[in-house]
Amino acid sequence: MAGIAILLDLYRKNPSFCSQESFHSSGFFSASAAAASAAATVVAGTPFASRFLFGNPKVSHCDAAAAFPEDYISNVQRLSEDIVKNVKNLKNDALKYAVKEYKVELKPLYSAFELRPFAMTTLRSFLMFYLPLLEPATNVEEDDEDFLQDTPKEQHVDLVVPFKKSVKQIIRETTVVTTRRVLERLAVIYVSQRMAWKLLKDVPKSAVRKSQRGLPTTVYFFRVSRTTFRGHLLGVVAAALVQTGIEIYRCFCRKTNSEESDEVNLTEQTKLLGKKISDITIRCGASLVFASIGAGIGAVLFRPSVGQWIGCAAGDLAGPIIVSVCLEKAFHVNL
């Protein structure tokens, strides 16, 4: 607009400016005026701050309209829909093949000395050794004279021996639980996170989750038994280690207290210790296997959590007895 205004001003002052002769004679002036008008137009449309950085940019204008194909908009819409579908598929694949996180929750190291577990252990130990004392002492071969006596003989009941046995049982059970906590920490350090998670898994809760998947009975029994085997393994290993340590301590005590110090006695004590350790290994292995089988049967027949716990406890108690009876009948070996 500034260039047009300059040209109009020049035309008013010099009317002969547009004649052909003057136009040809003043070609340099007209070219300069046109360039000046164009430059003024461009400069007027350019911000002042950008002139220093970019100079005077060259601008070209075109009045021709851009030609688009008829299906351009539909193609753009279809392309956008394809992009949305691909993004959704990528999200689904990411959720499907996401890496599973194994959260390992360790129990306190001295959890056996907490109030509730320690109280249950103490009560169970005292009942184990004091309940037999409450049974009435009956003698089958009683004579008529003893039956007619007015003052029956009072039997002395020793309460010190059951008390000592109860204290030893409490120490043994708390040591087993503490040893298991140490083994759990060693498993977290030295084995993979996935295996540590399986060894430290809450088996009753796992049985409940498996029951909600609608698995066949045989598959459900196998998986619950396998999970129980893994979850019960560290406890059985801890019990075996503690019992082996007790037997080694007893062997050394017998060697130091024995008056005979010849090599024959040493060889016999070593053989006896080896037999004790092998018996402990067989009993613990039978306890682990039968506890796993019993947990699977209990989870199938009863409620998953309660049935698994009852079956595991029953198999843990019955396993060593069954194996000892079978070995005695088949190979005449006493465990």
Side-chain angles (χ1 to χ4, degrees), residues 256-289:
T256 53
N257 295 330
S258 179
E259 296 179 356
E260 300 177 359
S261 60
D262 52 354
E263 296 180 357
V264 177
N265 188 21
L266 181 61
T267 305
E268 291 179 355
Q269 293 294 332
T270 305
K271 288 182 179 180
L272 182 61
L273 178 61
K275 184 178 181 300
K276 293 284 187 182
I277 294 175
S278 62
D279 293 346
I280 293 170
T281 305
I282 293 173
R283 287 179 179 273
C284 291
S287 175
L288 180 61
V289 172

Side-chain angles (χ1 to χ4, degrees), residues 209-248:
R209 290 194 297 268
K210 287 179 175 58
S211 65
Q212 296 174 354
R213 298 174 186 173
L215 300 173
T217 304
T218 54
V219 177
Y220 177 66
F221 166 78
F222 173 75
R223 292 190 179 182
V224 172
S225 299
R226 183 180 60 182
T227 304
T228 305
F229 184 89
R230 293 169 178 169
H232 199 52
L233 179 62
L234 293 180
V236 174
V237 172
L241 290 176
V242 171
Q243 192 62 32
T244 302
I246 292 172
E247 293 298 333
I248 293 173

Side-chain angles (χ1 to χ4, degrees), residues 61-191:
H61 300 279
C62 181
D63 295 335
F68 294 100
E70 296 179 355
D71 57 346
Y72 177 76
I73 297 176
S74 61
N75 290 334
V76 171
Q77 291 178 352
R78 185 169 59 253
L79 181 61
S80 62
E81 291 176 358
D82 293 338
I83 293 173
V84 172
K85 288 181 181 179
N86 291 330
V87 170
K88 289 182 179 180
N89 292 330
L90 289 175
K91 289 182 179 180
N92 294 331
D93 292 339
L95 293 175
K96 183 178 180 180
Y97 299 102
V99 179
K100 186 176 181 180
E101 296 182 0
Y102 300 98
K103 296 181 180 180
V104 179
E105 297 180 358
L106 289 173
K107 295 182 180 179
L109 182 61
Y110 299 103
S111 61
F113 297 97
E114 294 179 357
L115 181 59
R116 185 174 178 274
F118 189 76
M120 293 295 294
T121 302
T122 304
L123 180 62
R124 184 170 58 251
S125 300
F126 278 103
L127 290 177
M128 185 186 301
F129 294 102
Y130 276 100
L131 279 179
L133 300 179
L134 300 178
E135 296 178 358
T138 58
N139 188 7
V140 180
E141 297 180 355
E142 289 182 348
D143 296 334
D144 296 336
E145 296 178 357
D146 296 335
F147 181 76
L148 296 174
Q149 286 181 356
D150 295 334
T151 57
K153 294 181 180 180
E154 295 181 358
Q155 294 181 356
H156 178 70
V157 178
D158 190 5
L159 300 177
V160 178
V161 175
F163 180 79
K164 291 181 178 180
K165 291 182 179 180
S166 300
V167 172
K168 290 180 181 179
Q169 182 66 21
I170 293 170
I171 295 173
R172 182 184 291 109
E173 291 191 13
T174 53
T175 306
V176 169
V177 176
T178 306
T179 305
R180 176 172 181 170
R181 299 292 176 256
V182 174
L183 292 177
E184 290 174 354
R185 280 154 176 80
L186 292 176
V188 170
I189 295 172
Y190 291 104
V191 302

